[in-house]
Amino acid sequence: MSHHYSGPDYGFPHGDARLDITDLYAFPKPGNASKSILVMNVHPFAGVKPEGPTTDEAFATEAVYEFKIDTNGDAIADIAYRIRFSSSPDGAQSATVRRVEGVQAAGMGDEGETLIEAAPVSMGRDAQVMEAGDYRFFAGWRSDSFFFDTTGALNNMQFTGHDFFTEADVCSVVLEVPNSALGTGKIGVWHRTVDGAGGKWVQADRGALPSQSVFLTGEKKADYLAGEPADDARFVPVFAHSLEHTGGYAQEEATRVASTLLPDILIYDPSRPAAYPHNGRALSDDVMDGFISILTNGKVTSDNVAAHTDLLPSFPYLGAPHKNRAAKRVAA
């Protein structure tokens, strides 16, 4: 289930669905190789523990949503794009996008050079897009591009090909970025949510590679979600222990495989086509077949679920949401 429900016991980080990151994508802009598309999906439309719909309010106004970018391979952010949301009296939300470099990019906060202001958050099926210079931005409800037989995974990997996410919605942040703003050559990308509701910034969720925080962190999940990629080597024994249990790996082999999964960073070269796990991640990449194979030590290699067919050919690329929340707000 990718990063969906990455909080304790398949719940939400800090008990807030809006802080739950689900999937990260990075791919070259179709038709324009000089730009890249970064996609951060958060806030599943429904929970499993507790079961039921989450709030229609898309994003937490007390939080910062971040794309973190490592340009030199040390697993420490050198560039960060920070998105904050505000609400108007009628409940509509808008976004501000800032960019920060250097030491500040590795820290917490909401400062930075303002790139985009007052970008509307889309609640309905129509995507409201804002452009500013070389950047293009979207935030709002979208059809979840992730596909997986979650029920089969929870039933001892007995897959039936049922896509749990066929009619699922998430909240998406989509940023079109000039490659020149991402450094040169290969970069590392991850995303995180930082919660400021308690009066100080606290990292609520983070990740890049699908499903690791859900299936492999064990009793160290809270530490993992609060951690930094540069320190991820400390979780190799935890991942290895999980792999021994799920796939019957020998200890030495489990440690070797776990080491290939950390640090939790998506490697992306903007000059090459996206193809997970080798370079970035496209919206239609079947990431879970590969992860299932790793998790089960090759005993199971597919959940028999295919990519969604509602993806768009142009920005913001994700399909329209299945539920029109704009109509509900107007009616209220």
Side-chain angles (χ1 to χ4, degrees), residues 153-231:
L154 298 177
N155 186 29
N156 197 31
M157 300 294 171
Q158 302 297 309
F159 295 112
T160 64
H162 171 71
D163 185 1
F164 184 82
F165 298 90
T166 300
E167 298 183 359
D169 289 339
V170 289
C171 292
S172 301
V173 174
V174 187
L175 186 63
E176 181 179 299
V177 183
N179 291 339
S180 59
L182 298 175
T184 58
K186 188 182 297 183
I187 61 173
V189 186
W190 65 101
H191 58 163
R192 73 175 182 178
T193 53
V194 180
D195 186 9
K200 65 177 182 178
W201 298 117
V202 178
Q203 183 169 291
D205 200 356
R206 61 102 176 189
L209 307 181
S211 293
Q212 296 188 170
S213 70
V214 177
F215 287 100
L216 297 177
T217 51
E219 295 180 354
K220 296 295 184 179
K221 178 177 286 189
D223 291 340
Y224 186 82
L225 296 185
E228 297 283 352
D231 300 323

